[in-house]
Amino acid sequence: MDVISRAPEPSAWVLLSYHLPREPSAPRIALWRRFKVLGVARLQTNLVALPAEVRTREQMDWLAEQVVQNGGEAGVWLASAGAQRQEQDLIASITADRVEEYRQLAELITEAQLLSGAARNTAVKKLRRIWREISRRDYFPPPAKENTAQLLDDLALSLLDGSEVPAHSTRMTS
């Protein structure tokens, strides 16, 4: 029996096209900060994308309203990539941003291993918060996510038994 190979169905994306006046700059800065929190992919100037989910659609709708309230123009669109390669590039771009964030977090975890007692406990709480923030915008989890989680778990476990973090935890693989 022959198996017919088909390309996977294209995924849906929610896009926000927008234009904000240059002045005042505060709304523009607030929008860029919100983009960072959401982990958007920049397709072009004034055009960003996220995987189409209920949550991301709501966020883009809310951002569009904010743009309009600040004297700008905005539109929210649902789309799919015209070619599989375009979608792969988009996913790779989003994933690369998260990998870099996990790498930076792993460095902070390594630095926290040098702390002791209450300072280490405070660091673990802060680092867990950062990990959750990154995870919320991690639409295509890379192996770096689990590796960083393991580093963080090892650091937290070292608080319970008063030991040093295991040597294998100081290395992160991609």
Side-chain angles (χ1 to χ4, degrees), residues 14-16 54-67 74-77:
V14 59
L15 282 62
L16 172 65
V54 172
R55 178 178 66 96
T56 57
R57 172 68 191 267
E58 289 173 356
Q59 291 291 324
M60 292 293 213
D61 285 340
W62 184 83
L63 289 174
E65 287 177 28
Q66 295 300 305
V67 167
V76 175
W77 304 87

Side-chain angles (χ1 to χ4, degrees), residues 18-53:
Y18 65 95
H19 174 72
L20 269 171
R22 293 217 179 268
E23 296 296 328
S25 62
R28 183 179 296 277
I29 293 168
L31 183 64
W32 290 337
R33 286 182 179 151
R34 192 66 192 149
F35 286 162
K36 179 161 176 36
V37 168
L38 291 173
V40 301
R42 292 187 178 278
L43 300 177
Q44 294 179 352
T45 304
N46 299 340
L47 180 63
V48 296
L50 285 172
E53 301 171 354

Side-chain angles (χ1 to χ4, degrees), residues 2-18:
D2 291 334
V3 176
I4 299 174
S5 158
R6 292 191 306 176
E9 291 295 318
S11 299
W13 295 86
V14 59
L15 282 62
L16 172 65
S17 62
Y18 65 95

Side-chain angles (χ1 to χ4, degrees), residues 82-171:
Q84 188 176 10
R85 177 71 179 165
Q86 291 172 313
E87 183 164 56
Q88 289 170 344
D89 290 347
L90 185 55
I91 291 170
S93 171
I94 291 173
T95 302
D97 290 344
R98 298 303 78 77
V99 168
E100 177 59 20
E101 289 178 330
Y102 286 124
R103 186 197 62 74
Q104 291 173 3
L105 178 57
E107 287 179 8
L108 293 174
I109 293 168
T110 300
E111 291 171 11
Q113 293 170 353
L114 302 174
L115 303 173
S116 60
R120 186 181 281 192
N121 188 42
T122 300
V124 167
K125 290 177 184 176
K126 177 183 175 184
L127 295 168
R128 283 190 191 272
R129 181 184 50 77
I130 293 169
W131 189 87
R132 284 190 303 272
E133 289 171 0
I134 297 169
S135 293
R136 275 195 286 273
R137 60 181 166 261
D138 190 357
Y139 305 101
F140 308 99
K145 179 178 185 173
E146 288 306 314
N147 295 339
T148 307
Q150 185 62 54
L151 288 172
L152 191 51
D153 287 347
D154 289 348
L155 182 64
L157 285 172
S158 72
L159 283 169
L160 296 176
D161 63 15
S163 68
E164 293 301 313
V165 177
H168 69 80
S169 295
T170 60
R171 288 175 286 176

